[in-house]
Amino acid sequence: MTETVISREPPIAVAAAPAEVTDRFGDGRVRLDDAVIGRLRDACAVVETAPEALVGAGRDWWPISLHWALAGEVGGRPGAVARPSSIDEVVDVLKVCNAHGIPVTAAGGRSGVTGGAIPVFGGVALDMRGLAGVTGVDRTSGLVTALCGTYGPELARELEQRHGLTLGHWPQSIDVSTVGGWVACRAVGQYSTRYGKIEDIVNGLEVVLADGRVVRTGGLAGAGPRSSTGPDLTQLFLGSEGTLGIITSAQLRARPLPPTERRAAFAFPSFDEGLEAIRRTLQRGATPAVVRLHDTTEAARSWGVDQGHLLIALDEGDEHVIEASMRVLAEECRHATPLDPAVVGRWLEKRNDVSELTEITRLGIVADTIEVAACWSELPALYHDALAALSEVPGNLFGSAHGSHSYVDGGCLYFTFAGQGTGPDDLPAREEFYRRSWSAVMEATLRHRGSISHHHGIGLVRSGYLRQALGEGFSVLEGVKASLDPEGILNPGKLGLPCRFGSSPWAEPDPSTSPERGGQGPTAEGPHDGGARS
């Protein structure tokens, strides 16, 4: 059987020859002289400086960057792309960069949608895809060790075909994302109610720190399950987006392949009633793998359902367990309108299709999704307030939402918006519309005491909001960053953290995040070319 070939590149090519591509974020870019390139090549067998390699490493799947690509721009190119194939090469590259004060931006599949993999200050892009494969399986304990550059489909195929196991982790980006990316951004899969988010699946990590030290946590450090050996260092690196260390390997919890599956669908007269049914289901202890609530806009546009707000559910696993789980859900949906479960099949067929984004981008339409989370007591109001705020942004064409992941205490709302700004042919106007749409949802989320990200991470697009979201906890994060990466080389400009190379190029200026406050050295005006600080 011939396998379908899936493109793992962003869906819109950069509309310029590689040598003519420009950087959207060019200020403060650290360039590398021949001497440093030579040291990097001593450290890593494959180090590329050709324009094609630099352009490819200068972008990810951030939707606004697709508009830049049409204008012949990428977010920011590195000075070199290092492609290690072993942890020793990762260690040696970091030692060189740390000694010379060179930014390092690690990436795997570059499937992120927040700009987190863009090397906005140049330096070295560390392509981790050469570290790929499954290195250990304990089927009895359900523990699997995989290298960070392993793509989702390859991992799933090996676990299923050779070991009869599954992680149950099926993000929309499964075809183009890697293990390291899942961990670095606290990713979630579409079957999360049954299997959990990636932080529930990870049992241990191997991480290389900025100075080349190798740290192993959890199961990879020899710890047993649910150990009480001080703070959980695994959770420290989860979601750190390459700012605290470079994840090279992960031990993951797997389960036997599910023998049985059940599907159901219902229509509700209001979104609030659908949320309430999900809340009651989860709080009774039932955990259908998939339980999603699409509002009427999405139900009609995407799934051809016009009876109301669409709830789709799917569960898999032991027959007795899923029978009980789906029975509880049916009881809590007893006042809704039952629908043909075939709609669940339509969702399964289309759930990873993002081709529409390419089409509307070429038409000059700006679109994106924003996933946030909140407690059950706040979710209904957050849904209504965020959509109302989106509708007031000049140029808005539509806004919609669905609830995609649920827990005992709350859930995730996933907003979609599209518009053209006030001047559809003017890229700055599109950016202004984009920024205002993001602000509308972020501000509504903070008003309702929600989490500004559920699983896409912070990157650049949310970097201006993290300080407010964490409150005094942000200073703790700053302290951890300063301790683990005192030279500030790891993914600078992300998470809104103080940066020695300059301020975040996307966040609104904030005096409290100036380099002086962070105490991490000179600003972008200082010398960096060729590792001059050494």
Side-chain angles (χ1 to χ4, degrees), residues 260-282:
T260 309
E261 181 192 272
R262 296 282 189 277
R263 302 177 183 182
F266 305 89
F268 286 85
S270 73
F271 196 79
D272 295 16
E273 290 173 86
L275 287 177
E276 182 65 8
I278 297 173
R279 179 188 71 81
R280 292 194 302 262
T281 298
L282 268 292

Side-chain angles (χ1 to χ4, degrees), residues 32-42 47 49 79-80:
L32 309 176
D33 64 21
D34 291 342
V36 168
I37 294 293
R39 294 187 184 100
L40 289 169
R41 286 182 169 144
D42 290 339
V47 175
T49 57

Side-chain angles (χ1 to χ4, degrees), residues 138 141 143 202-203 218-220 222-229 232 251 253:
D138 177 350
S141 305
L143 295 174
V202 171
N203 190 56
L220 288 183
R226 304 297 180 186
S227 62
S228 179
T229 51
D232 188 349
Q251 187 179 77
R253 300 181 178 97

Side-chain angles (χ1 to χ4, degrees), residues 336-359:
T337 303
L339 300 177
D340 186 343
V343 68
V344 182
R346 296 201 295 274
W347 172 75
L348 286 168
E349 292 172 4
K350 293 180 59 180
R351 58 183 169 150
N352 296 341
D353 183 4
V354 295
S355 59
E356 184 182 24
L357 177 61
T358 304
E359 297 168 6

Side-chain angles (χ1 to χ4, degrees), residues 98-396:
N98 196 57
H100 294 280
I102 298 169
V104 180
T105 304
R110 298 188 174 278
S111 63
V113 292
T114 67
I118 297 174
V120 293
F121 295 110
V124 174
L126 196 61
D127 183 345
M128 301 297 290
R129 291 176 295 177
L131 278 73
V134 175
T135 60
V137 176
D138 177 350
R139 195 180 188 286
T140 301
S141 305
L143 295 174
V144 174
T145 303
L147 295 175
C148 62
T150 310
Y151 276 103
E154 285 84 338
L155 177 57
R157 188 160 48 244
E158 177 162 354
L159 293 184
E160 291 174 5
Q161 295 178 359
R162 295 188 59 186
H163 305 286
L165 296 172
T166 181
L167 299 179
H169 185 71
W170 306 104
Q172 185 183 45
S173 63
I174 182 78
D175 292 323
V176 296
S177 59
T178 61
V179 170
W182 299 344
V183 175
C185 293
R186 285 186 176 262
V188 72
Q190 293 159 334
Y191 287 41
S192 65
T193 317
R194 168 67 64 202
Y195 297 98
K197 288 186 72 205
I198 195 66
E199 59 261 36
D200 304 306
I201 297 171
V202 171
N203 190 56
L205 296 174
E206 180 182 74
V207 182
V208 182
L209 301 184
D211 61 5
R213 287 178 294 160
V214 179
V215 175
R216 294 177 179 87
T217 73
L220 288 183
R226 304 297 180 186
S227 62
S228 179
T229 51
D232 188 349
L233 297 181
T234 299
Q235 294 295 322
L236 174 66
F237 293 105
L238 274 157
S240 60
E241 301 185 33
T243 64
L244 302 181
I246 308 300
I247 296 162
T248 53
S249 184
Q251 187 179 77
L252 308 165
R253 300 181 178 97
R255 306 190 197 188
L257 289 172
T260 309
E261 181 192 272
R262 296 282 189 277
R263 302 177 183 182
F266 305 89
F268 286 85
S270 73
F271 196 79
D272 295 16
E273 290 173 86
L275 287 177
E276 182 65 8
I278 297 173
R279 179 188 71 81
R280 292 194 302 262
T281 298
L282 268 292
Q283 291 183 350
R284 286 179 62 182
T287 55
V290 177
V291 55
R292 300 168 66 93
L293 178 66
H294 295 262
D295 67 11
T296 53
T297 301
E298 294 193 3
R301 184 184 72 233
S302 300
W303 315 117
V305 172
D306 59 7
Q307 291 99 318
H309 300 263
L310 170 65
L311 187 151
I312 60 174
L314 177 152
D315 205 3
E316 63 177 24
D318 181 274
E319 180 178 2
H320 300 293
V321 173
I322 67 170
E323 181 67 29
S325 181
M326 295 300 277
R327 185 181 300 118
V328 170
L329 175 68
E331 289 177 2
E332 296 301 343
C333 295
R334 60 188 177 276
H335 298 303
T337 303
L339 300 177
D340 186 343
V343 68
V344 182
R346 296 201 295 274
W347 172 75
L348 286 168
E349 292 172 4
K350 293 180 59 180
R351 58 183 169 150
N352 296 341
D353 183 4
V354 295
S355 59
E356 184 182 24
L357 177 61
T358 304
E359 297 168 6
I360 65 176
T361 299
R362 293 190 182 281
L363 294 173
I365 296 173
V366 180
D368 203 353
T369 58
I370 306 175
E371 28 60 65
V372 299
C375 296
W376 289 116
S377 58
E378 298 282 356
L379 275 179
L382 172 55
Y383 166 76
H384 294 290
D385 288 356
L387 286 184
L390 279 172
S391 70
E392 295 174 359
V393 177
N396 177 269

